[in-house]
Amino acid sequence: MAKLEIHQFPTRGDNYGVLIHDPGTGATAAIDAPDAQDLLAALEETGWALTDILVTHHHFDHTAGIEAVKRKTGCTVTGPAREAGAIPGLDTEVKEGDEVVVGGAKAQVIETPGHTRGHVSYYFPDEDIVFVGDTLFSVGCGKLLEGDAKTMWSSLSKLAVLPEDTKVYCGHEYTDANCRFALTVEPENEALQARAKEAAANAAKGAPSLPSTIGQELATNPFLRASSPAIQKRLGMEGRPLDEVFGEVRHRKDVI
Ligand SMILES: [Zn+2]
């Protein structure tokens, strides 16, 4: 079993890039390629040689660096079959249940549409890590740009059942602002209050609040907590279908 080394770095303002490295084989993958220069600098810094890019979705701030990095490193680009036409340099198309190998580490592809039509997440069960792109954020979730609330709720529900100690790496750092919104939806949540304090302290010193864990998200993220009686009551939606409660939380976040 590989034990992946991980290097996380800020890029393009509020994006976060991630490199994973299997020291046993030397294989190294980038999760998305927001910016070629920043990604190449991260490779230089770590001394790792890129073998793969695992793409979560087609948005420019996740794919802009693919072509230049591929030219420079000769890496293989893997991404969602459902967005194949929109991802430059794509070599391998993947769908739900496919296995992706990075050196000795294996990932399962989980289709998580909603933010985009074909968004995928990469779950490494033996490493207790999931890369969720713009589907799930720390105390937040992606905007519903190409899907409805029902679709996104179904995607989030697939991530919510992963083991609670699974580390969650997402595409952007919005934790501090997300906590402030979450407190308007569920102010009585003590785990959320503590997380908000921690996120504010991290933000003040320019440190990331990433990665989080599935357990932390279940306890604090209002977009995973549609079944919370306090949230349902606050929204006046007691007993309503969970995807509708989720949809209302998403709507409120969109209009603030
Ligand atoms: Zn996106």
Side-chain angles (χ1 to χ4, degrees):
M1 181 180 110
K3 205 67 218 166
L4 291 175
E5 293 173 15
I6 305 217
H7 177 70
Q8 184 177 240
F9 57 97
T11 179
R12 295 189 78 97
D14 61 23
N15 280 69
Y16 259 83
V18 187
L19 291 174
I20 59 176
H21 175 71
D22 174 15
T25 62
T28 300
I31 313 305
D32 293 325
D35 179 89
Q37 223 174 348
D38 288 350
L39 181 46
L40 293 169
L43 289 165
E44 180 88 26
E45 191 187 329
T46 54
W48 298 342
L50 194 72
T51 52
D52 297 272
I53 299 174
L54 309 183
V55 182
T56 60
H57 67 296
H58 70 82
H59 282 159
F60 186 71
D61 62 326
H62 293 253
T63 58
I66 291 176
E67 283 180 307
V69 170
K70 186 178 176 182
R71 263 198 310 277
K72 184 112 182 165
T73 63
C75 67
T76 299
V77 181
T78 298
R82 291 172 69 191
E83 295 183 357
I87 297 171
L90 191 63
D91 299 300
T92 308
E93 299 176 14
V94 292
K95 55 185 191 326
E96 177 81 16
D98 283 353
E99 186 177 271
V100 173
V101 174
V102 179
K106 290 184 180 121
Q108 294 167 9
V109 174
I110 304 174
E111 288 185 346
T112 48
H115 176 65
T116 62
R117 201 167 292 115
H119 193 298
V120 297
S121 298
Y122 296 93
Y123 173 48
F124 290 77
D126 294 338
E127 310 283 332
D128 297 318
I129 296 172
V130 65
F131 297 98
V132 298
D134 288 358
T135 296
L136 177 64
F137 292 134
S138 171
V139 201
C141 80
K143 288 190 173 160
L144 308 184
L145 300 178
E146 299 178 11
D148 57 13
K150 202 179 183 73
T151 304
M152 188 61 143
W153 176 251
S154 155
S155 295
L156 291 171
S157 299
K158 288 177 173 177
L159 300 174
V161 297
L162 299 179
E164 292 202 4
D165 58 358
T166 307
K167 290 187 202 64
V168 179
Y169 286 85
C170 55
H172 297 266
E173 168 61 307
Y174 301 136
T175 314
D176 189 30
N178 284 347
C179 283
R180 288 197 296 274
F181 167 74
L183 283 167
T184 69
V185 181
E186 198 179 20
E188 56 279 276
N189 181 335
E190 288 176 11
L192 173 60
Q193 293 164 9
R195 188 123 186 251
K197 276 198 193 113
E198 197 184 299
N202 284 340
K205 59 183 182 203
S209 296
L210 311 175
S212 67
T213 65
I214 291 292
Q216 274 183 306
E217 295 309 318
L218 288 172
T220 60
N221 188 328
F223 298 99
L224 295 183
R225 294 178 57 74
S227 62
S228 152
I231 290 182
Q232 292 190 0
K233 187 153 186 240
R234 185 152 288 101
L235 303 185
M237 298 182 76
E238 285 144 300
R240 296 283 290 280
L242 298 183
D243 61 318
E244 287 181 20
V245 178
F246 161 75
E248 177 59 21
V249 178
R250 185 60 258 178
H251 173 69
R252 289 185 180 214
K253 177 78 162 58
D254 287 338
V255 297
I256 58 165

